[in-house]
Amino acid sequence: MTSCDDFLKAKETRAEIEKAIDYANAPVYSIKVEADKDSGIITKPAAGEARVKVTDTFNLSFNSEQDYQFIKWEVYNEATNQPIENGLYLQIEDPLKIDTSCTVLNYPENSNITPAVRAIAAERPQISLARPQHSETGAPRVSNIEISFNKSNMDPGCIYYSEDEMSELKQQLGLSDSDFLQGDETLCNNQYYGYIDQEGHKHFKNIQFSGVQLNSYGEYDPVFPGDYFCDPYFTEDAGFPGCRLIYQSTNPPIEINTTVYYTLNKEFCYIQDGIPVKMRESKPYAYLTMPLEDEKPVFHRDVLQYIQVKVGNEWKPLATFQELGDSMLENSSQIPESSDTQNIEFRFQFEAEDHGGSGLQPTFQLYLMKSSNNSSKTYEIPYSSIKMNGSKGTPPNSYIIERGTELQNAGEYKFQIIILDNDNNQRQAHEGDIDHPMYVYYKLKLTKAAATN
């Protein structure tokens, strides 16, 4: 038995010796390890080169520059710069780890193939500009927050919640479906961008808001500026090679004399090879809103043609006349007549602008005047339902006014359009200058008295 053991051991020893002799006689290969210029430094192997034989294992390590993020290790053909499948010639243990190892499985006989390894790193996204910027005079209250990134492919998942994230927030914060904020269909594709907490304040994904407002006593009160923004979306950034993130201002906008603080988390990213490439650090910003302003809003274009009344199944433009001092200038001899005893249906098409910075109120006023009995009535009409993006086209919505006390009798009535901004500056539809105002009125004739209950 002892002789058999000695024989087997001798056989194993001989095999090991032969293997060692083969290894000693095996060729040595130089495996280059490199990274893109300016992306970082290869720290292992030393000098970016491993001199190895088949079956050898060597370490890989990489230090990325602060504006770059390590993505993965990749085997490639140095001769053609094309990737090679991991495990064909070289086996990287874990390509996604910045510190890992690589084993030489075999070396190709084809002289056109030279296996090498490179560290893939991606440039981190950076913010090139954030608006509004801080100034002593303050930014218009209606300002959108606009952040320009140097990358055009920022991930929408940075600003919209996934279903899993919403489920997690429901469990953590006790939220319900109705607490989540759904974005605009066109800009946000109906995705959810935020939620309302139990105190009624808005919260957004990856951006935090805070603020203070200067009160009449010269003291600062805490406010919640995030409540005045909505519907964030990414869009192309005209004139820049990246994209722009926009948080839209609500109407009414944020309060006057408010210092707005907001911070974008470093989680803002784009996706490369399935890996989020994130900002290096979170970025804080601040700006001040303007005080009260007294500049009147203006009509963007002539409004004389843009008020109509429904007569039967047809829409007819209201007749207009202009008043200059004591004179009357008739613009139309055709006054539409309505025999409807229940309602009057109007539609409007015009645009207005506010250059003062407080923004237009979400409604405009249709002011009714009846000179025969000195009665008057103001109707609040949603401006968003009549505002048009172009100068022509059919107004999208109509507005129904019930015939109440002010419109009870048959006869001629006249109306006036008034627009207001959020600091209550108002403008009537008129032509002319301040010294010689020419007010524009709209005429309508009701041929029957209102129905009585």
Side-chain angles (χ1 to χ4, degrees):
M1 292 296 294
T2 300
S3 298
C4 288
D5 288 342
D6 290 343
F7 175 78
L8 291 174
K9 289 179 180 179
K11 189 174 181 179
E12 292 174 357
T13 301
R14 180 179 178 181
E16 291 175 358
I17 292 173
E18 290 176 349
K19 184 177 180 180
I21 292 173
D22 290 340
Y23 178 81
N25 293 329
V28 177
Y29 302 104
S30 294
I31 306 296
K32 182 184 289 186
V33 181
E34 61 180 5
D36 288 338
K37 183 181 179 181
D38 299 328
S39 66
I41 300 173
I42 300 295
T43 57
K44 292 180 183 179
E49 186 177 32
R51 292 186 59 79
V52 289
K53 299 180 179 183
V54 173
T55 72
D56 279 356
T57 296
F58 59 95
N59 292 325
L60 297 173
S61 187
F62 174 69
N63 279 346
S64 60
E65 293 293 334
Q66 61 180 6
D67 290 332
Y68 284 81
Q69 177 181 317
F70 172 77
I71 301 297
K72 64 180 181 180
W73 295 99
E74 181 180 73
V75 182
Y76 74 103
N77 183 3
E78 187 180 351
T80 63
N81 205 38
Q82 296 300 310
I84 297 176
E85 180 185 354
N86 186 35
L88 183 60
Y89 303 113
L90 306 179
Q91 178 71 56
I92 300 174
E93 182 181 5
D94 190 341
L96 300 182
K97 286 187 176 180
I98 199 168
D99 296 301
T100 187
S101 61
C102 181
T103 301
V104 183
L105 302 181
N106 59 77
Y107 203 86
E109 296 181 0
N110 188 337
S111 60
N112 293 324
I113 301 176
T114 306
V117 177
R118 58 188 169 199
I120 304 296
E123 185 182 13
R124 296 183 183 275
Q126 297 183 30
I127 296 174
S128 53
L129 183 63
R131 295 167 290 256
Q133 296 180 326
H134 183 78
S135 66
E136 293 183 0
T137 56
R141 293 163 56 200
V142 293
S143 299
N144 295 334
I145 289 179
E146 302 183 5
I147 299 102
S148 295
F149 291 90
N150 66 335
K151 298 295 181 180
S152 61
N153 55 340
M154 296 298 290
D155 181 20
C158 298
I159 56 176
Y160 303 130
Y161 290 113
S162 67
E163 291 185 3
D164 290 341
E165 290 169 333
M166 292 172 65
S167 297
E168 186 176 347
L169 286 170
K170 289 177 184 178
Q171 294 178 356
Q172 291 179 349
L173 305 176
L175 301 176
S176 63
D177 289 339
S178 60
D179 293 324
F180 286 92
L181 302 168
Q182 189 172 23
D184 174 77
E185 179 179 3
T186 302
L187 297 175
C188 309
N189 197 25
N190 286 332
Q191 297 183 83
Y192 291 90
Y193 66 85
Y195 64 87
I196 303 290
D197 66 18
Q198 295 180 351
E199 296 180 352
H201 299 301
K202 287 183 182 180
H203 296 265
F204 298 80
K205 184 176 181 180
N206 287 327
I207 184 172
Q208 288 79 43
F209 286 94
S210 63
V212 291
Q213 183 186 29
L214 184 65
N215 62 30
S216 58
Y217 300 101
E219 301 171 340
Y220 288 96
D221 298 323
V223 294
F224 300 91
D227 295 343
Y228 297 92
F229 294 96
C230 64
D231 292 349
Y233 64 95
F234 285 107
T235 185
E236 293 183 1
D237 201 349
F240 293 91
C243 69
R244 185 179 301 180
L245 171 61
I246 297 177
Y247 288 84
Q248 297 186 91
S249 173
T250 59
N251 194 10
I254 197 167
E255 297 97 332
I256 63 171
N257 289 327
T258 298
T259 302
V260 178
Y261 301 98
Y262 63 95
T263 299
L264 269 71
N265 294 350
K266 62 181 180 180
E267 299 301 313
F268 273 92
C269 65
Y270 66 94
I271 306 300
Q272 178 169 321
D273 295 328
I275 296 173
V277 182
K278 302 178 181 180
M279 295 200 306
R280 180 168 61 90
E281 58 188 3
S282 298
K283 299 290 289 185
Y285 297 95
Y287 69 92
L288 175 69
T289 63
M290 294 171 59
L292 283 171
E293 52 94 3
D294 57 6
E295 186 171 344
K296 292 183 178 182
V298 296
F299 286 94
H300 185 57
R301 60 175 178 269
D302 187 5
V303 301
L304 301 183
Q305 306 173 33
Y306 296 101
I307 178 169
Q308 296 175 319
V309 64
K310 195 169 188 179
V311 179
N313 293 323
E314 297 183 21
W315 287 98
K316 295 186 177 181
L318 262 66
T320 62
F321 72 92
Q322 298 171 325
E323 184 179 65
L324 180 58
D326 296 329
S327 65
M328 297 289 181
L329 303 177
E330 295 285 351
N331 283 350
S332 174
S333 59
Q334 185 66 37
I335 300 176
E337 298 181 356
S338 173
S339 60
D340 195 323
T341 60
Q342 300 293 331
N343 306 303
I344 302 174
E345 188 172 0
F346 293 105
R347 68 182 184 187
F348 308 85
Q349 182 181 351
F350 65 88
E351 289 186 3
E353 293 180 87
D354 175 68
H355 300 289
S358 63
L360 293 175
Q361 289 192 14
T363 61
F364 69 94
Q365 295 180 354
L366 184 64
Y367 183 60
L368 164 66
M369 295 156 284
K370 183 111 170 57
S371 57
S372 60
N373 56 12
N374 295 320
S375 63
S376 63
K377 171 77 173 179
T378 299
Y379 301 94
E380 297 286 337
I381 299 180
Y383 179 66
S384 59
S385 70
I386 58 92
K387 184 176 180 181
M388 300 292 292
N389 293 325
S391 60
K392 296 181 180 180
T394 301
N397 297 307
S398 59
Y399 191 83
I400 296 176
I401 295 176
E402 294 183 3
R403 288 192 62 177
T405 303
E406 292 77 12
L407 293 167
Q408 184 176 17
N409 300 323
E412 271 188 18
Y413 291 81
K414 64 178 181 178
F415 301 86
Q416 189 176 74
I417 294 177
I418 301 173
I419 53 172
L420 301 94
D421 66 16
N422 285 297
D423 285 338
N424 289 316
N425 302 304
Q426 71 175 33
R427 174 81 68 179
Q428 299 172 342
H430 75 273
E431 295 180 349
D433 55 30
I434 297 176
D435 296 327
H436 301 284
M438 184 181 292
Y439 297 104
V440 176
Y441 296 97
Y442 300 84
K443 279 187 177 181
L444 171 66
K445 185 175 183 179
L446 303 179
T447 60
K448 296 180 181 180
T452 58
N453 295 329

